[in-house]
């Protein structure tokens, strides 16, 4: 609200819409801001506004200016799985857990603004030294593939703005006023990027809440809020204390908890919505009992009449594994629900592999899809070959797939490598031809199963999974995905009431072309009338009329594992997480604590969280 109204004021003051940039943290927040701006200033004025996430702004900057860093405009952006594959390759390992640890270390270094040379100079032990060396090889591969990872979308634009005065002046002149939302969630490099964008002119508005800094574990620094006043001495601080969401009793509980943290900026939330219902504390005998009480509460509040719907309820918890017992209880009671902050079907590695193949037959120029398809499963085409192919494609200013068929490819690669690449290229072209001419479910399914057999995908899952059970479950997901595509080829379309059949048949290629749209629709559950189960982290920025905080016990919230100690800093962040949970509720809040809880295979006595006493 603050940011969108400020945009309207800036337009009245004579700024052109294209000179204003509003930066948010999530695509969802950016979308909501775009809608609000459109309502406030009209579609015409809202269209040229730059409203995006930090990462999307980074993409825009790199597409325009990447040549200064040796990037072509059509560089590829690798997702987390692509990065993991590259790191396994760079470190010469098949150990996913080790590659994942390298990934976290490299991400943390990049978020501090360090490259591999700086990281190696700063390491403290042998594990970190190895990670820094893997990072160097990883950087070489990114370079060769003309690719960047998610962290580079902030790191590289910042590097460019700091080192190139011409580019810096051009962008400061283009974006004359910058607005940043949730500034307490910025990490070191995002904060540096903000400073590079606003320069000495310092025309910006930052909105933040030091009581909601809950992302310290991923590099965010609440200290950036305090640092603003140091870096920009003319900064004017305005405190927003009126809350338009929650009732008085919910806000009193929130204020009482957060009062135990040291204050950066003094504030006390208040509301004109009256006291409302008192906050309820529920004690349950076990996790199952807690889930049953959650279901009973939902049924009771809906039974009171009025317009209470399933979508008005959320059950929030500290860790993902706590969702299972609630899912079971809701399914038993036939209450529809969704799990936020968990993994979606389309995020699974095996589904992303197959989507990469489908993306490639639709668009041969999609380099990340090419890299994923050619290595899933591996077909004797190694990293060195792909690096040379990437360099050759760069020289020819073509995509990697297009480069397969350039006559002079043999000058850059051995005859054996060229033969393997040609075989892959022919297979993709053949698959594209068959996908174009295969219509309806009864033709699509044999084609898809034949394709999976040809590339020996089931065997690939068995070779790469660390257990037979995992391979079997992944293969079951693949077969579900095949059925999903075949249904769509048969003209079966899902709507809110389930599936309805239309007579129109589609080719496999038609379905592949719309796959990204279909996936985003399949995941868009926001409008459905269903209960939300969510982690506290994933719930930030959202609100519901009726909220239940589950498992509010010592060890769970505040979270503490056996081999860890509770530092003052950790406790403060956990307290902020509790504060975020409390302030998600609009009308009623129930705080649930367990008398006994599961710990591994045992059941142990449970202690109510200290935060309940603080409330």
């Amino acid at each position: 609200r603050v940011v969108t109204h400020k945009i309207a004021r800036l337009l009245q003051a004579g700024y052109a819409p294209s000179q204003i940039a509003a930066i948010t943290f999530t695509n969802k927040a950016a979308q909501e801001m775009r809608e609000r701006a459109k309502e406030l200033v009209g579609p015409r004025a809202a269209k040229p506004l730059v409203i995006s996430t930090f990462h999307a702004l980074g993409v825009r900057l790199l597409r325009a200016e990447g040549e200064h860093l040796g990037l072509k405009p059509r560089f590829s952006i690798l997702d987390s799985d692509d990065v993991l594959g590259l790191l396994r390759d760079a470190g010469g390992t098949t150990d996913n857990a080790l590659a994942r640890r390298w990934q976290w270390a490299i991400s943390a270094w990049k978020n501090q603004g360090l490259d591999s040379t700086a990281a190696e100079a700063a390491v403290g032990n042998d594990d970190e030294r190895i990670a820094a060396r893997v990072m160097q090889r990883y950087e070489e591969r990114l370079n060769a593939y003309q690719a960047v990872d998610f962290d580079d979308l902030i790191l590289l634009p910042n590097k460019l703005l700091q080192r190139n005065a011409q580019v810096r002046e051009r962008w400061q002149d283009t974006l004359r006023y910058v607005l940043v939302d949730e500034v307490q969630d910025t990490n070191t490099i995002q904060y540096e990027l903000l400073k590079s964008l606003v320069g000495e002119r310092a025309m910006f508005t930052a909105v933040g809440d030091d009581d909601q800094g809950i992302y310290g574990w991923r590099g965010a620094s609440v200290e950036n809020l305090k640092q603003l006043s140091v870096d920009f001495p003319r900064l004017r601080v305005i405190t927003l204390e009126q809350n338009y969401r929650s009732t008085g009793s919910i806000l009193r509980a929130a204020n009482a908890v957060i009062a135990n943290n040291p204050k950066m900026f003094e504030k006390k939330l208040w509301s004109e919505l009256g006291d409302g219902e008192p906050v309820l504390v529920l004690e349950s005998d076990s996790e199952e009992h807690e889930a049953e009480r959650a279901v009973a509460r939902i049924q009771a509040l809906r039974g009171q009449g009025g317009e209470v719907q399933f979508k008005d309820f959320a059950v929030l918890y500290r860790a993902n594994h706590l969702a299972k017992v609630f899912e079971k209880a809701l399914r038993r009671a036939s209450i529809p629900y969704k799990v936020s902050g968990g993994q979606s079907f389309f995020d699974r590695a095996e589904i992303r592999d197959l989507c990469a193949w489908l993306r490639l037959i639709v668009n041969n120029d999609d380099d990340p899809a090419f890299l994923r398809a050619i290595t899933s499963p591996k077909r004797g085409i190694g990293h060195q070959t792909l690096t040379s192919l990437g360099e050759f494609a760069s020289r020819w200013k073509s995509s990697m797939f297009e480069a397969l068929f350039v006559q002079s490819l043999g000058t850059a690669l051995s005859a054996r490598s060229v033969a393997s690449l040609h075989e892959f290229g022919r297979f993709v072209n053949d698959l594209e031809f068959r996908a174009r001419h295969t219509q309806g479910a009864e033709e699509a399914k044999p084609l898809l199963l034949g394709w999976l057999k040809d590339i020996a995908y089931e065997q690939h899952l068995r070779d790469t999974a660390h257990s037979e059970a995992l391979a079997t479950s992944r293969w079951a997901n693949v077969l579900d995905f095949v059925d999903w595509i075949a249904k769509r080829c048969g003209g079966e379309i899902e709507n809110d009431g389930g599936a309805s059949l239309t007579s129109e048949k589609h080719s496999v290629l038609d379905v592949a072309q719309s796959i990204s749209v279909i996936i985003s629709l399949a995941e868009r559950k926001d409008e459905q009338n269903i209960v939300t189960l969510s982690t506290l982290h994933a719930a930030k920025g959202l609100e519901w009329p009726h909220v239940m905080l589950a498992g509010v016990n010592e060890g769970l919230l505040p979270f503490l594992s056996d081999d860890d100690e509770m530092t003052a800093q950790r406790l403060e962040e956990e307290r902020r997480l509790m504060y975020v949970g409390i302030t998600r509720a609009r009308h009623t809040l129930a705080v649930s604590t367990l008398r006994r809880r599961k710990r591994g295979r045992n059941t142990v006595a449970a202690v109510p969280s200290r935060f309940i006493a603080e409330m």
Side-chain angles (χ1 to χ4, degrees):
R1 187 187 175 98
V2 169
V3 173
T4 46
H5 279 263
K6 180 84 183 192
I7 289 170
R9 282 289 296 276
L10 291 168
L11 292 173
Q12 284 168 1
Y15 281 88
S18 60
Q19 294 176 325
I20 300 170
I23 308 174
T24 68
F25 266 79
T26 63
N27 289 319
K28 192 172 178 179
Q31 187 55 41
E32 190 179 320
M33 202 174 278
R34 250 178 245 119
E35 295 302 324
R36 286 192 185 197
K38 210 184 286 178
E39 281 171 27
L40 208 57
V41 302
R44 182 181 284 181
K47 200 174 178 199
L49 292 168
V50 180
I51 297 179
S52 74
T53 61
F54 267 107
H55 293 90
L57 184 64
V59 172
R60 180 187 282 235
L61 209 148
L62 288 178
R63 294 267 184 237
E65 311 281 1
E67 61 184 346
H68 297 287
L69 296 164
L71 281 175
K72 59 183 182 184
R74 277 196 1 232
F75 64 83
S76 304
I77 301 167
L78 304 186
D79 66 24
S80 180
D81 270 8
D82 297 328
V83 168
L84 202 61
L86 268 192
L87 285 172
R88 281 198 306 265
D89 192 27
T93 183
T94 53
D95 183 344
N96 255 342
L98 177 61
R100 184 79 69 197
R101 286 200 294 278
W102 290 336
Q103 190 175 7
W104 290 333
I106 291 168
S107 179
W109 284 326
K110 287 189 176 191
N111 286 326
Q112 290 164 35
L114 308 177
D115 61 11
S116 57
T117 313
E120 192 161 5
V123 294
N125 57 45
D126 286 346
D127 286 348
E128 288 181 354
R129 193 165 290 106
I130 292 166
R133 283 179 191 155
V134 171
M135 184 180 184
Q136 187 193 345
R137 287 184 220 138
Y138 170 62
E139 286 170 347
E140 288 164 6
R141 282 158 174 74
L142 288 178
N143 225 0
Y145 291 168
Q146 280 286 301
V148 300
D149 64 24
F150 205 54
D151 297 314
D152 288 330
L153 298 177
I154 313 287
L155 181 73
L156 295 177
N158 187 54
K159 187 171 158 183
L160 186 56
L161 291 174
Q162 286 186 345
R163 293 182 187 178
N164 189 317
Q166 210 177 355
V167 172
R168 184 169 63 245
E169 282 162 26
R170 183 159 54 244
W171 278 79
Q172 286 177 358
D173 208 44
T174 303
L175 304 177
R176 299 187 70 80
Y177 203 99
V178 178
L179 303 107
V180 186
D181 192 22
E182 306 279 17
V183 78
Q184 79 281 352
D185 292 338
T186 54
N187 59 31
T188 306
I189 197 74
Q190 287 162 338
Y191 182 72
E192 289 299 319
L193 181 62
L194 169 64
K195 280 166 53 180
S196 301
L197 280 171
V198 302
E200 286 179 15
R201 198 168 56 224
M203 302 301 278
F204 74 92
T205 295
V207 181
D209 181 356
D210 53 316
D211 290 332
Q212 290 193 50
I214 58 173
Y215 293 116
W217 51 278
R218 79 175 182 207
S221 172
V222 180
E223 292 300 310
N224 287 345
L225 253 182
K226 197 190 281 181
Q227 192 59 33
L228 275 171
S229 311
V230 179
D231 293 335
F232 302 98
R234 291 185 304 139
L235 189 78
R236 180 166 163 230
V237 177
I238 297 163
T239 312
L240 308 172
E241 294 183 301
Q242 183 173 359
N243 178 294
Y244 300 88
R245 174 191 295 155
S246 308
T247 60
S249 55
I250 291 168
L251 292 181
R252 272 199 302 280
N255 285 333
V257 168
I258 208 66
N260 293 278
N261 270 7
K263 281 280 174 253
M264 199 175 282
F265 298 103
E266 204 52 61
K267 69 174 189 302
K268 213 165 188 67
L269 299 184
W270 60 275
S271 164
E272 281 179 349
L273 301 172
D275 264 8
E277 303 240 339
V279 175
L280 203 61
V281 177
L282 305 173
E283 270 197 301
S284 302
D285 295 328
S286 64
E287 285 89 347
E288 287 73 20
H289 185 211
E290 182 178 52
E292 284 161 18
R293 292 190 79 164
V295 167
R297 182 172 165 75
I298 291 166
Q299 288 167 330
L301 284 165
R302 288 191 78 237
Q304 286 172 9
E307 294 295 301
V308 183
Q309 296 178 280
F310 287 128
K311 67 178 179 186
D312 296 335
F313 294 91
V315 178
L316 309 180
Y317 36 78
R318 177 64 177 81
N320 264 315
H321 71 270
L322 299 170
K324 232 175 215 151
V325 65
F326 289 99
E327 288 190 69
K328 230 182 218 167
L330 290 165
R331 278 202 299 270
R332 249 197 328 267
S334 301
I335 293 175
Y337 68 89
K338 66 170 177 181
V339 181
S340 291
Q343 190 188 40
S344 131
F345 179 74
F346 297 102
D347 283 336
R348 296 175 195 279
E350 59 274 19
I351 305 304
R352 294 180 88 124
D353 284 349
L354 305 186
C355 283
W357 278 86
L358 296 175
R359 275 165 45 203
L360 185 61
I361 64 171
V362 168
N363 171 17
N364 291 163
D365 292 339
D366 186 337
D367 280 356
F370 173 87
L371 284 168
R372 185 154 193 154
I374 204 165
T375 53
S376 307
K378 287 214 184 308
R379 47 180 34 76
I381 296 169
H383 149 69
Q384 212 45 58
T385 301
L386 292 174
T387 302
S388 303
L389 177 66
E391 288 164 356
F392 180 80
S394 287
R395 283 201 300 278
W396 278 85
K397 296 193 167 27
S398 74
S399 67
M400 291 173 90
F401 187 83
E402 211 180 335
L404 299 186
F405 305 102
V406 174
Q407 276 188 327
S408 57
L409 182 62
T411 60
L413 289 163
S414 70
R416 191 167 150 217
S417 297
V418 171
S420 299
L421 289 169
H422 280 172
E423 189 188 337
F424 175 73
R426 280 194 295 275
F427 185 85
V428 171
N429 284 335
D430 178 53
L431 181 62
E432 190 270 339
F433 177 82
R434 286 184 293 147
R436 187 187 296 279
H437 295 95
T438 302
Q439 285 213 327
E442 60 290 339
E443 288 183 10
K445 196 163 179 180
L447 166 76
L448 294 165
L449 291 173
W451 157 52
L452 292 171
K453 192 174 177 187
D454 289 343
I455 63 172
Y457 194 73
E458 186 177 5
Q459 189 55 48
H460 163 69
L461 291 179
R462 301 208 180 284
D463 293 343
T464 53
H466 54 70
S467 73
E468 187 62 29
L470 181 62
T472 305
S473 115
R474 284 181 172 172
W475 181 243
N477 289 334
V478 168
L479 296 179
D480 281 351
F481 186 60
V482 166
D483 286 341
W484 188 82
I485 294 173
K487 276 180 184 171
R488 277 152 186 79
C489 292
E492 190 170 309
I493 295 159
E494 280 191 4
N495 57 31
D496 280 349
S500 64
L501 285 169
T502 64
S503 56
E504 195 183 345
K505 288 185 175 182
H506 304 287
S507 74
V508 172
L509 195 68
D510 291 335
V511 174
Q513 273 172 333
S514 58
I515 205 149
S516 57
V517 181
I518 291 170
I519 285 172
S520 65
L521 286 175
E523 292 179 324
R524 198 191 293 161
K525 292 180 176 169
D526 299 353
E527 300 312 310
Q528 293 180 4
N529 185 22
I530 51 185
V531 172
T532 300
L533 301 178
S534 174
T535 61
L536 287 160
H537 284 101
K540 186 162 181 285
L542 305 176
E543 57 183 64
W544 295 269
H546 307 288
V547 170
M548 176 170 169
L549 299 184
V552 186
N553 284 84
E554 286 295 312
L556 288 175
L557 182 65
F559 180 76
L560 188 66
S561 58
D562 292 341
D563 50 359
D564 241 347
E565 60 165 324
M566 182 61 75
T567 62
Q569 204 176 354
R570 279 268 313 272
L571 181 61
E572 283 166 23
E573 181 154 326
E574 292 291 308
R575 192 176 278 118
R576 291 196 289 269
L577 197 54
M578 179 73 177
Y579 174 82
V580 164
I582 295 169
T583 52
R584 298 312 91 202
R586 284 166 49 193
H587 304 321
T588 74
L589 173 67
V591 178
S592 175
T593 182
L594 301 165
R595 291 192 186 95
R596 300 183 69 71
R597 70 181 180 95
K598 286 195 183 73
R599 202 148 167 207
R601 293 185 173 180
N602 303 321
T603 302
V604 297
V607 180
S609 168
R610 66 192 80 185
F611 300 148
I612 295 178
E614 291 177 0
M615 286 167 79

